[in-house]
Amino acid sequence: MSEIPLTSSVSKGCFVFKSASKKRKRHVGVGGYLVDDSDDNASDRFKICQKLWETVQMNTEVIQDQLNKKVLDSLAEFIKKHGLGRSSDNWRQRASEIPTAALMLGVNVPDHAMTFRSLCNLLQDSVTPFVVSVHAKECAAVKFLIQKVLEQLMEIGVSVDEEQEDDTALPQRTQCTISALCQWYKTVAKKCTQVSPQRKENSTNSDLPQSLPVVVIFKDFEAFNPQILQDFILICSRYTQELPFIFIFGIATSPSAIQHRLPHSVSSLLCIEVFHSLSCTQHLASVFEKLILNSQFPFKLSSRVIQVLVGIFLYHDFSVQNFVKGLQFSMLEHFNSQPLSVLCCQKQEALLSAKTLSKKNVERIRHLPSFMRYVETQEPQEQVQLLTDDEHVKDVCQTLLKNLHKYHKNYYPILQCLHSLTSSLPKFPLGKHIRELHVSCIEKNLWETEEYDSALQLLRILAKDELVAALRKCAEILKSAKRMQNVLQQLEDFIGRLEALQSVSSEDSSGNGIVSGKMEYQRTDLFQLQKTLLEKESRRTKRMNPFEVLRSQVIEFIDSLVREYLTPAELQPLSEVCYYSSSGVLRQRLNVTPRTSIQAALSHPFYYLQDESLKTNSGTISSAAPDLCIVYKLHLECGRLINLYDWLEAYVTVMSAAEDQGTNSEEGGKYDSLKHARFIQAVSEMEFLGFVKSTKQKTDHVARLTWGGC
């Protein structure tokens, strides 16, 4: 292949070179990542990451179902009461009113999809198969809303009984009316009750025609056009005797949103009952405790990464699903960038992987900061073996991995105990949530902080009953930890000794002395008062009662547990194999500015598409790049107004290089209709992204809107 000739020109220009493509052996992994097969343990890391990814997905759905179970069951009972009991004495609404459930879900809109999916499955399994869910973007007019309801309902009806007659088939759009739905419902409802004999046994003959209510779920109630909602409710209210409608409003703000969007004449047609789901902060606490604070989950996050994810949660969208996506992205980045993450798995698998480490990975272990600190603490002879003998390093790695797993199993129970002791203290010196305490523990020595000293001072003035109750909570936590039985035994011994003490006075049990009555009437200055109080404090410490002595021993015991088990994670050897700490990369990927990301993608498509043919030198344009990237780079060379014909000529010049056609040949200046269409589409995409706009100042020109690169 001949070298590319040097080019020179008096005027500024754009020179196009056809880049040679180099193929590498890659395959797409979890989350769209490209896995390089040339790495010695890439496939093993991919399998471990995929397994952990599935674990996160499954556990998240289980946690979501557990947290939403109460409100979903309440909704199911509400629908059963109003749908199956229309002829009973419990029916207290007027015949023209439609039962409506206002489901308060909070502002964490991305989490609503999973909640509505669970709700639909629950209702279809236990109450009625006729459940419809609609979005505001799909219902720009009343006819589209009615059409969407009929389409979903009639598809359900066909799936219930495949051999149905022609009168239950989906009508044309011109026939999509509530009257058509009534005729369809009379035919299908009887067949559905025959398909479900269990529902038939639970219903009387008079209830059978109304035993299958039609549930319409408005997923984003605030986003609907108020006029469309009003018209739809008015239409449905006229068919309440024929169709047992039940509405569910998914509301993100407050119940007053119904009053703001529906006038009294319309809202009076609804029999509304409000249901509240758990707050997103409670949901996050459950996810954090069961996923991150879990010794069975080998992948861990550093303190700064946790702060980034929690910060995005608190200051952006309150979405737990996006928090879990951030956790999954951290996992992908860790297994993609850390070759030693092959050891980030369960204990037995990690020990097996440590035995079969390659020479390259053994050398990588020697360069880990935590392992280097470990080597410095060893004897000189041991240091020589760790730096020269690969087999000895493998044996030591197995021991260190065992200690790392042991550290995690001991860390989390003690962390929960400390949180249960300090979460009820005034002003929450160590944080209200356990994640705040966890962040403090893994980034520094907790016992060296002022907050920890303040917490111990508050614990030293606890009354007897409060202290016993707090220690009992700790004992319940430690019962599930097999390795902490000795600690549990000592804790139960303290509880028994505290309960055996005779009742003490409120002054003694609180540990606070009171000022004598004489001092209340003595006239003295501030210095004299301070001196007297200090003397009383010194005399009080000299003669502590039995409860105070025992309470002091309990606090010292808790302090010893903190110093022994809650050491920072980065001090543990080989902590890098399971802890992800690249908070800067995470912040750059998850909390980005849209314009900068778009400009970077259009200017450097290689970093997004990972295609070797897109690698170019600065100032050049690859003919293999997407049309949008080519048009974007060409528009950077233009001024405020861009001539479309000149822009098209430059685009054709770039594209001709891909076909091995010289720009000086006769065909170089020509272009076919396909290139013309591709150029017009790329310019339309540029206008959609906000880089250019049409202008009336000059014919066949567009105005440039952005200046400056990324």
Side-chain angles (χ1 to χ4, degrees), residues 82-87 185 205-213 241 244:
H82 291 282
L84 305 180
R86 294 177 66 89
S87 61
Y185 179 78
N205 294 331
S206 59
D207 293 335
L208 197 56
Q210 293 95 7
S211 61
L212 296 176
Q241 298 297 330

Side-chain angles (χ1 to χ4, degrees), residues 154-171:
M154 293 187 177
E155 287 176 1
I156 295 172
V158 172
S159 63
V160 171
D161 190 359
E162 297 179 356
E163 300 178 356
Q164 292 207 13
E165 299 177 359
D166 296 336
D167 55 352
T168 61
L170 183 64

